[in-house]
Amino acid sequence: MSAQTRSYASRAEKANPILKKLFGLMEEKKTNLCVSVDYTDPSKILDIIDKVGPKVCMVKTHIDIISFSSVDAIRSFTASLTALSQKHNFLIFEDRKFADIGSTVQHQYRGGVYNIVEWAHITNAHSFPGPGIVTGLGEVMLKEAKEPRGLLLLAEMSSAGNLSTEGAYRAKTLQMARDHKDIVCGFIAMGNQIVTESGDDSDDFIFMTPGVNLADKGDAHGQQYQSPEFVIGEKKSDIIIVGRGIIKAEDPVAVAEKYRAAGWEAYEKRTVA
Ligand code: 5BU
């Protein structure tokens, strides 16, 4: 049976620690929704997360777009975010998109002013620097993090004209993931085909898809939107990532519930066991 007709709960059984935790809380909270809270005001971010927290399995951040007044303010924000993730039982995904040689990304991941490895359960990286980016980040994850961490590789992007469809890019990205399953827990991709087209180990990975919106088709800069039904039901992704569809809505909590319900219904329809 292909992975994406299996329940999240059954996939949790043999999963690594971070996916076990994620699949478990998704099933418990009945949500495959990740909200992307792309505000720049830190208090606004924490406020909306406290409200939509019960409806999501994951909160996605761009820590470097937030207007912090000091390094202490960063510390206080990440501490509050961690407290909210415990209160509402969701994972934190810093959408950092690392893209340098292994040695440099190690510093970017653990150091600077953001200390991402300390508070983000999941982060992501481009594959174009080659396997060194995975082993570099992996060393920090496995040797320095106090709790399980996971890395997503960007196999595909949602923006028009992106280069991930060129040549062997996807196949090489997939190979990097297969070679490092203790580090790479999944992909940013438009669906699960990037794995299923060349093997039956899609079960070992989670697939997360940005570019999801119920009202719009895109934006002025090439973003392309699909529906939760299409992404989860047709493309067999596991998690929908929704930003402006929720955070710009008049009633973000009510709209988050709509996305949660749509994503979950599509999951239940495709699930056999
Ligand atoms: P939106 O408001 O739902 O369009 O926001 C989408 C978010 O997902 C935003 O934070 C992007 O940086 C992020 N994203 C994306 O849109 N497309 C991609 O391929 C990747 C990330 Br990777």
Side-chain angles (χ1 to χ4, degrees):
M1 193 188 300
S2 102
Q4 278 71 31
T5 56
R6 290 182 51 192
S7 69
Y8 299 134
S10 76
R11 289 166 68 192
E13 285 162 21
K14 282 195 201 145
N16 66 24
I18 195 72
L19 285 189
K20 193 181 275 291
K21 185 170 169 152
L22 179 56
F23 283 135
L25 71 89
M26 288 166 76
E27 203 73 70
E28 194 185 316
K29 293 175 72 178
K30 298 203 180 314
T31 177
N32 49 21
L33 171 62
C34 168
V35 64
S36 181
V37 192
D38 300 334
Y39 293 141
T40 56
D41 175 345
S43 56
K44 231 174 127 180
I45 296 174
L46 295 173
D47 185 56
I48 194 171
I49 291 175
D50 201 15
K51 291 184 180 133
V52 301
K55 308 209 172 287
V56 303
C57 62
M58 203 178 289
V59 164
K60 185 173 88 58
T61 54
H62 282 297
I63 194 75
D64 58 354
I65 70 170
I66 306 174
S67 308
F68 292 113
S69 52
S70 65
V71 174
D72 280 350
I74 300 173
R75 298 281 169 282
S76 153
F77 175 84
T78 55
S80 300
L81 183 58
T82 300
L84 286 173
S85 85
Q86 287 159 356
K87 175 178 172 187
H88 296 299
N89 198 20
F90 60 76
L91 297 192
I92 304 166
F93 165 24
E94 166 56 22
D95 188 2
R96 174 62 179 75
K97 300 186 183 73
F98 291 102
D100 213 318
I101 61 166
S103 165
T104 300
V105 295
Q106 289 190 325
H107 291 301
Q108 291 171 325
Y109 186 31
R110 74 155 85 87
V113 289
Y114 297 123
N115 311 117
I116 294 166
V117 68
E118 286 177 20
W119 52 269
H121 301 97
I122 290 179
T123 191
N124 56 355
H126 285 287
S127 53
F128 65 78
I133 193 167
V134 173
T135 56
L137 292 168
E139 200 170 83
V140 176
M141 273 180 184
L142 298 173
K143 292 194 182 152
E144 298 175 32
K146 294 184 189 81
E147 288 175 55
R149 296 289 181 245
L151 178 68
L152 304 172
L153 285 182
L154 281 103
E156 295 173 307
M157 291 192 70
S158 62
S159 42
N162 77 79
L163 306 182
S164 64
T165 53
E166 304 286 322
Y169 192 86
R170 285 157 25 128
K172 288 195 171 164
T173 302
L174 174 58
Q175 195 54 51
M176 283 167 56
R178 284 186 169 142
D179 290 344
H180 299 284
K181 285 187 175 173
D182 53 338
I183 301 165
V184 180
C185 67
F187 300 93
I188 297 288
M190 297 303 106
N192 74 350
Q193 300 86 321
I194 72 136
V195 174
T196 54
E197 67 197 8
S198 69
D200 59 3
D201 58 343
S202 60
D203 210 3
D204 298 348
F205 300 108
I206 194 145
F207 301 85
M208 299 189 44
T209 304
V212 176
N213 196 302
L214 286 164
D216 295 329
K217 286 274 158 263
D219 69 9
H221 301 288
Q223 177 67 298
Q224 304 176 111
Y225 288 126
Q226 308 287 351
S227 69
E229 290 78 5
F230 181 74
V231 167
I232 301 288
E234 299 274 319
K235 303 294 284 183
K236 310 281 190 285
S237 188
D238 292 313
I239 292 181
I240 49 171
I241 301 175
V242 182
R244 286 164 287 182
I246 292 173
I247 68 166
K248 298 259 185 209
E250 231 166 79
D251 184 346
V253 180
V255 174
E257 171 54 24
K258 262 195 190 171
Y259 281 94
R260 187 209 63 77
W264 196 256
E265 195 182 317
Y267 158 69
E268 285 194 318
K269 268 195 201 149
R270 81 174 196 201
T271 303
V272 173

